[in-house]
Coordinates of all heavy atoms in Angstrom, one line a residue:
T35 N -4.5 5.6 6.2 CA -5.8 6.2 6.5 C -6.3 7.1 5.4 O -7.4 7.2 4.9 CB -5.8 6.8 7.8 OG1 -5.5 5.9 8.8 CG2 -7.2 7.5 8.1
A36 N -5.3 8.0 4.9 CA -5.6 8.9 3.9 C -5.9 8.2 2.6 O -6.8 8.7 1.8 CB -4.4 9.9 3.7
L37 N -5.2 7.1 2.3 CA -5.5 6.4 1.1 C -6.9 5.8 1.1 O -7.7 5.9 0.1 CB -4.5 5.2 0.9 CG -4.6 4.4 -0.3 CD1 -4.3 5.2 -1.6 CD2 -3.6 3.2 -0.2
L38 N -7.3 5.2 2.2 CA -8.6 4.7 2.4 C -9.7 5.7 2.3 O -10.8 5.5 1.8 CB -8.8 3.9 3.7 CG -8.0 2.6 3.9 CD1 -7.9 2.2 5.3 CD2 -8.6 1.5 3.0
A39 N -9.4 7.0 2.7 CA -10.3 8.1 2.6 C -10.3 8.8 1.3 O -11.0 9.8 1.1 CB -10.0 9.1 3.8
N40 N -9.5 8.3 0.4 CA -9.4 8.9 -1.0 C -8.7 10.3 -1.0 O -8.9 11.1 -1.9 CB -10.8 9.0 -1.7 CG -10.7 9.1 -3.2 OD1 -9.7 8.5 -3.8 ND2 -11.6 9.8 -3.8
N41 N -7.9 10.6 0.1 CA -7.2 11.8 0.1 C -5.9 11.8 -0.5 O -5.2 12.8 -0.8 CB -7.0 12.3 1.6 CG -8.4 12.6 2.3 OD1 -9.3 13.1 1.6 ND2 -8.5 12.4 3.6
V42 N -5.4 10.6 -0.8 CA -4.2 10.4 -1.6 C -4.4 9.2 -2.5 O -5.4 8.5 -2.3 CB -2.9 10.1 -0.7 CG1 -2.6 11.3 0.2 CG2 -3.0 8.8 0.1
D43 N -3.6 9.1 -3.5 CA -3.8 8.1 -4.6 C -2.9 6.8 -4.4 O -3.2 5.8 -4.9 CB -3.6 8.6 -5.9 CG -4.6 9.8 -6.2 OD1 -5.8 9.6 -6.2 OD2 -4.1 10.9 -6.4
A44 N -1.8 7.0 -3.7 CA -0.9 5.9 -3.5 C 0.0 6.2 -2.3 O 0.2 7.4 -1.9 CB 0.0 5.7 -4.7
V45 N 0.5 5.1 -1.7 CA 1.4 5.2 -0.5 C 2.7 4.5 -1.0 O 2.6 3.4 -1.5 CB 0.9 4.6 0.7 CG1 1.9 4.7 1.9 CG2 -0.4 5.3 1.2
T46 N 3.8 5.1 -0.7 CA 5.1 4.4 -1.0 C 6.0 4.2 0.2 O 6.1 5.1 1.0 CB 5.9 5.1 -2.1 OG1 7.0 4.3 -2.6 CG2 6.4 6.4 -1.7
T47 N 6.5 3.0 0.3 CA 7.5 2.6 1.3 C 8.0 1.2 0.9 O 7.7 0.8 -0.3 CB 7.0 2.7 2.7 OG1 8.2 2.5 3.6 CG2 5.9 1.7 3.0
D48 N 8.6 0.5 1.8 CA 9.1 -0.8 1.4 C 8.0 -1.8 1.3 O 7.0 -1.8 2.0 CB 10.1 -1.2 2.5 CG 11.2 -0.2 2.7 OD1 11.4 0.6 1.8 OD2 11.8 -0.2 3.8
D49 N 8.2 -2.8 0.4 CA 7.2 -3.7 0.0 C 6.7 -4.6 1.2 O 5.5 -4.9 1.3 CB 7.6 -4.6 -1.1 CG 9.0 -5.3 -0.9 OD1 9.6 -5.2 0.2 OD2 9.5 -5.9 -1.9
V50 N 7.6 -4.9 2.1 CA 7.3 -5.7 3.2 C 6.3 -5.0 4.2 O 5.4 -5.6 4.7 CB 8.5 -6.2 4.0 CG1 9.3 -5.1 4.7 CG2 8.1 -7.3 5.0
L51 N 6.4 -3.7 4.3 CA 5.5 -2.9 5.1 C 4.2 -2.8 4.4 O 3.1 -2.9 5.1 CB 6.1 -1.5 5.4 CG 7.4 -1.4 6.1 CD1 7.9 0.0 6.3 CD2 7.3 -2.1 7.5
L52 N 4.2 -2.5 3.1 CA 2.9 -2.4 2.4 C 2.2 -3.7 2.4 O 0.9 -3.7 2.5 CB 3.2 -1.9 1.0 CG 3.9 -0.6 0.8 CD1 4.2 -0.3 -0.6 CD2 3.1 0.5 1.5
A53 N 2.8 -4.8 2.4 CA 2.2 -6.1 2.4 C 1.4 -6.3 3.7 O 0.3 -6.8 3.8 CB 3.2 -7.3 2.3
G54 N 2.0 -5.8 4.8 CA 1.3 -5.8 6.1 C 0.1 -5.0 6.2 O -1.0 -5.4 6.7
Y55 N 0.1 -3.8 5.6 CA -1.1 -2.9 5.5 C -2.1 -3.5 4.6 O -3.3 -3.5 4.9 CB -0.7 -1.5 5.1 CG 0.1 -0.7 6.1 CD1 1.4 -0.3 5.8 CD2 -0.4 -0.4 7.3 CE1 2.1 0.5 6.7 CE2 0.3 0.3 8.2 CZ 1.6 0.7 7.9 OH 2.3 1.5 8.8
A56 N -1.7 -4.1 3.5 CA -2.7 -4.7 2.6 C -3.4 -5.9 3.3 O -4.6 -6.1 3.1 CB -2.0 -5.1 1.3
A57 N -2.6 -6.7 4.1 CA -3.2 -7.8 4.7 C -4.2 -7.4 5.8 O -5.2 -8.2 6.1 CB -2.1 -8.6 5.4
Q58 N -4.1 -6.2 6.3 CA -5.1 -5.7 7.2 C -6.4 -5.3 6.5 O -7.5 -5.2 7.2 CB -4.6 -4.5 8.0 CG -3.5 -4.8 9.0 CD -3.1 -3.6 9.9 OE1 -3.1 -2.5 9.4 NE2 -2.8 -3.9 11.1
N59 N -6.3 -4.9 5.3 CA -7.5 -4.4 4.5 C -7.5 -5.1 3.1 O -7.4 -4.5 2.1 CB -7.4 -2.9 4.3 CG -7.3 -2.2 5.6 OD1 -8.3 -1.9 6.2 ND2 -6.1 -1.8 6.0
P60 N -7.6 -6.5 3.1 CA -7.4 -7.2 1.9 C -8.5 -7.0 0.8 O -8.2 -7.2 -0.4 CB -7.5 -8.7 2.3 CG -8.3 -8.7 3.6 CD -7.9 -7.4 4.3
E61 N -9.7 -6.5 1.2 CA -10.7 -6.2 0.2 C -10.6 -4.8 -0.3 O -11.4 -4.4 -1.3 CB -12.1 -6.5 0.8 CG -12.3 -7.9 1.2 CD -13.6 -8.2 1.8 OE1 -14.4 -7.2 2.0 OE2 -13.9 -9.3 2.1
L62 N -9.8 -3.9 0.3 CA -9.8 -2.5 0.0 C -8.4 -2.1 -0.6 O -8.4 -1.1 -1.4 CB -10.1 -1.7 1.2 CG -11.4 -1.9 1.9 CD1 -11.5 -1.1 3.2 CD2 -12.5 -1.5 1.0
L63 N -7.3 -2.7 -0.3 CA -6.0 -2.3 -0.7 C -5.2 -3.4 -1.3 O -5.4 -4.6 -1.0 CB -5.3 -1.7 0.5 CG -5.9 -0.5 1.3 CD1 -5.0 -0.2 2.5 CD2 -6.0 0.7 0.4
R64 N -4.3 -3.0 -2.2 CA -3.4 -4.0 -2.8 C -2.0 -3.3 -3.0 O -1.9 -2.1 -3.2 CB -4.0 -4.5 -4.1 CG -4.1 -3.4 -5.2 CD -4.7 -4.0 -6.5 NE -4.8 -3.0 -7.5 CZ -3.9 -2.6 -8.4 NH1 -2.7 -3.2 -8.3 NH2 -4.1 -1.6 -9.2
V65 N -1.0 -4.2 -3.1 CA 0.3 -3.7 -3.4 C 0.5 -3.9 -4.9 O 0.1 -4.9 -5.5 CB 1.4 -4.6 -2.7 CG1 2.8 -4.1 -3.1 CG2 1.2 -4.5 -1.2
V66 N 1.0 -2.9 -5.6 CA 1.1 -2.9 -7.1 C 2.0 -4.1 -7.5 O 1.7 -4.7 -8.5 CB 1.7 -1.6 -7.6 CG1 2.1 -1.6 -9.1 CG2 0.7 -0.4 -7.4
G67 N 3.1 -4.3 -6.8 CA 3.9 -5.5 -7.0 C 5.0 -5.3 -8.1 O 5.5 -6.2 -8.7
Q68 N 5.4 -4.0 -8.2 CA 6.5 -3.7 -9.1 C 7.6 -3.0 -8.3 O 7.8 -1.8 -8.3 CB 6.1 -2.8 -10.2 CG 5.0 -3.4 -11.1 CD 5.6 -4.6 -12.0 OE1 6.8 -4.6 -12.3 NE2 4.7 -5.5 -12.3
S69 N 8.4 -3.7 -7.5 CA 9.4 -3.1 -6.7 C 10.5 -2.4 -7.5 O 10.8 -2.9 -8.6 CB 10.0 -4.1 -5.7 OG 10.7 -5.1 -6.4
F70 N 11.0 -1.3 -7.0 CA 11.9 -0.5 -7.9 C 13.0 0.1 -7.1 O 13.6 1.1 -7.5 CB 11.1 0.7 -8.6 CG 10.2 1.5 -7.7 CD1 10.6 2.6 -7.0 CD2 8.8 1.1 -7.5 CE1 9.8 3.3 -6.1 CE2 8.0 1.8 -6.7 CZ 8.4 2.9 -6.0
S71 N 13.4 -0.5 -6.0 CA 14.6 -0.1 -5.3 C 15.1 -1.2 -4.4 O 14.4 -2.3 -4.3 CB 14.3 1.2 -4.4 OG 13.6 0.8 -3.2
K72 N 16.2 -1.0 -3.8 CA 16.7 -2.0 -2.8 C 16.9 -1.3 -1.5 O 17.7 -0.4 -1.4 CB 18.0 -2.6 -3.4 CG 18.7 -3.7 -2.5 CD 20.0 -4.1 -3.1 CE 20.6 -5.2 -2.3 NZ 21.9 -5.6 -2.9

């Protein structure tokens, strides 16, 4: 919600979770696609 409101610039957590949020807002949000942990 804060990202959509421009109150933060990025959200970080696991890619599978971020994919779910991006799927809810496909025209507004995207996953960077550069995973950097396991």
Side-chain angles (χ1 to χ4, degrees):
T35 299
L37 182 64
L38 290 167
N40 203 32
N41 291 328
V42 298
D43 300 300
V45 177
T46 188
T47 186
D48 304 340
D49 52 8
V50 66
L51 300 179
L52 298 179
Y55 289 120
Q58 288 186 327
N59 302 275
E61 297 179 357
L62 301 174
L63 300 176
R64 64 180 177 87
V65 180
V66 170
Q68 298 291 332
S69 63
F70 48 88
S71 76
K72 182 180 179 182

